[in-house]
């Protein structure tokens, strides 16, 4: 891969050169994670988005805040960390997440989900107080909108009209598959029959008109977003005070650059809905994005051992818990977008009516468990210890 010291180097590249660069970045990510382990599928899916982002914005002057920081591998490779990336997550190498001590391009140190919009809003307000002039972008992905903190920040930013850009990297996945009403709402936006039918009809109909047909179609594309608003129900984000743009193909670099430039011109908070494919560029990761979320070292030609039996502590606990639940209807299991990581997928298959994946909402998971227990149920909550830190107050106050 070509050594890039700073993202400014890509600004003179053509779209084809940017696409070739994105392909090289994916190859590098696959190669390094196959040797060192790491988060694979998320980084592959966000590569085109990050290339377009660094082309359209001027980091580090423009602040780019990443949610669920494991989607930032392409960002690291575009900001002079190629050598350090060879030792990803090892001594002397780059962190697996944004790290302020590692690079001036990492404006925050963060790894967990649902916090980036709040952080970005703080950066934007600091900019305004100091009468500075730079853009603040929050890149939210991997199901972060299933966490309530995002809505607290969106509501606050929209209420005050603070100028900032939120990019929703919608890959239909969190660590486990997205759950909840918001996931369904985003799917509705992506699949709106009215808008898609209109678009297909316009394209086919105008193509039949000699000479002026293609010209007229190209003209109509310039007002497509206005027409789309009549057919796609995007009022949710509008109601929060954000200008909604999307859905946008997250692998069309040219289109993303154009939309990013439009978003920069807005004086209002903007939400860009970008649709990406998790695992993009590596077939096994495309087919099994959940299994390739985080991987141990593997052979690229063979792939990771996604079908190997799970013999970890979580899997053993899940098996025992499922057996206990066979004899006790009061036993339930709860997790926060971590059914695979905690081993609870077995319980979910055997007792689906008593399994609850609440999304990236640890506080809610623990507090709901308290409600279940209040009615005589026996809830078991499976959450990784790092993420459970968010629910300490609920454990101390609501559960105890």
């Amino acid at each position: 891969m070509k050594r890039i010291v700073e993202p400014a180097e890509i600004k003179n590249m053509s779209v084809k050169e940017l696409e070739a660069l994105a392909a090289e970045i994916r190859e590098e990510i696959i190669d390094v994670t196959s040797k060192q382990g790491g988060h694979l599928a998320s980084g592959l899916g966000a590569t085109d988005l990050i290339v377009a982002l660094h082309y359209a914005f001027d980091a580090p002057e423009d602040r780019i805040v990443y949610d669920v920081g494991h989607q930032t591998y392409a960002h690291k490779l575009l900001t002079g960390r190629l050598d350090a990336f060879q030792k990803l997550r090892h001594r002397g190498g780059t962190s697996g997440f944004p790290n302020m001590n590692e690079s001036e391009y990492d404006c925050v140190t963060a790894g967990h989900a649902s916090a980036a919009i709040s952080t970005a809003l703080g950066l934007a307000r600091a900019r305004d107080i100091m009468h500075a002039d730079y853009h603040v972008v929050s890149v939210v992905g991997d199901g972060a909108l299933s966490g309530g903190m995002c809505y607290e920040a969106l509501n606050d930013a929209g209420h005050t009209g603070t100028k900032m850009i939120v990019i929703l990297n919608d890959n239909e996945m969190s660590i486990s598959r997205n759950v909840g009403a918001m996931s369904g709402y985003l799917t509705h936006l992506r699949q709106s029959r009215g808008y898609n039918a209109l678009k297909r009809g316009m394209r086919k109909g105008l193509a039949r008109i000699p000479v002026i047909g293609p010209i007229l179609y190209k003209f109509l594309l310039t007002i497509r977003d206005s027409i789309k608003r009549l057919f796609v129900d995007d009022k949710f984000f509008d109601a929060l005070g954000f200008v909604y743009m999307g859905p946008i193909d997250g692998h069309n670099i040219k289109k993303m650059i154009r939309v990013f430039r439009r978003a920069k011109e807005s004086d209002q908070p903007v939400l860009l809905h970008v649709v990406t494919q998790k695992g993009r560029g590596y077939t096994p990761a495309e087919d099994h994005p959940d299994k390739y979320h985080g991987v141990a070292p593997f052979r690229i030609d063979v792939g990771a051992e996604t079908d190997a039996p799970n013999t970890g502590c979580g899997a053993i606990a899940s098996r025992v818990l499922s057996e206990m639940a066979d004899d006790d209807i009061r036993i339930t299991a709860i997790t926060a977008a971590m059914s695979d990581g905690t081993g609870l997928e077995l319980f979910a298959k055997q007792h689906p009516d008593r399994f609850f994946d609440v999304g990236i909402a640890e506080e809610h998971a623990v507090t709901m468990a308290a409600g279940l227990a209040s009615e005589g149920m026996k809830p078991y909550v499976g959450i990784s210890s790092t993420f459970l830190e968010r629910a300490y107050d609920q454990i101390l106050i609501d559960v105890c």
Side-chain angles (χ1 to χ4, degrees), residues 49 53 57 62-67 107 116-117 119-121 123-124 127 134-140 163-167 260 264 270 272:
L49 166 60
L53 195 61
F57 291 89
D62 289 336
R63 312 308 200 250
I64 304 175
V65 185
Y66 293 93
D67 220 323
C107 56
I117 304 176
T119 303
L121 179 56
L123 297 177
R127 173 202 62 200
Y134 54 81
H135 297 283
V136 177
V137 183
S138 172
V139 184
V140 182
K163 180 179 179 180
M164 63 183 296
I165 298 170
V166 175
I167 297 176
F260 291 167
K264 289 168 66 174
V270 177
L272 304 178

Side-chain angles (χ1 to χ4, degrees), residues 239-302:
L240 287 174
F242 276 73
V243 176
Y244 173 89
M245 297 182 183
I248 305 156
D249 182 356
H251 301 294
N252 187 324
I253 293 177
K254 181 178 180 180
K255 181 179 292 185
M256 282 189 288
I257 291 172
R258 185 169 64 246
V259 175
F260 291 167
R261 285 173 171 169
R262 283 172 48 203
K264 289 168 66 174
E265 296 172 356
S266 176
D267 291 327
Q268 299 174 269
V270 177
L271 186 135
L272 304 178
H273 180 187
V274 178
V275 180
T276 63
Q277 179 187 23
K278 199 169 185 177
R280 179 85 167 191
Y282 185 51
T283 302
E286 293 176 356
D287 294 340
H288 302 283
D290 52 339
K291 302 297 184 183
Y292 282 83
H293 172 74
V295 295
F298 64 95
R299 280 179 52 187
I300 296 174
D301 57 336
V302 175

Side-chain angles (χ1 to χ4, degrees), residues 320-349:
V320 173
L321 189 61
S322 294
E323 294 171 356
M324 293 167 56
D326 290 338
D327 301 321
D328 191 343
I329 196 173
R330 296 173 297 171
I331 291 177
T332 63
I334 305 166
T335 191
M338 291 287 290
S339 58
D340 292 338
T342 57
L344 285 173
E345 66 269 22
L346 176 63
F347 189 100
K349 292 177 181 177

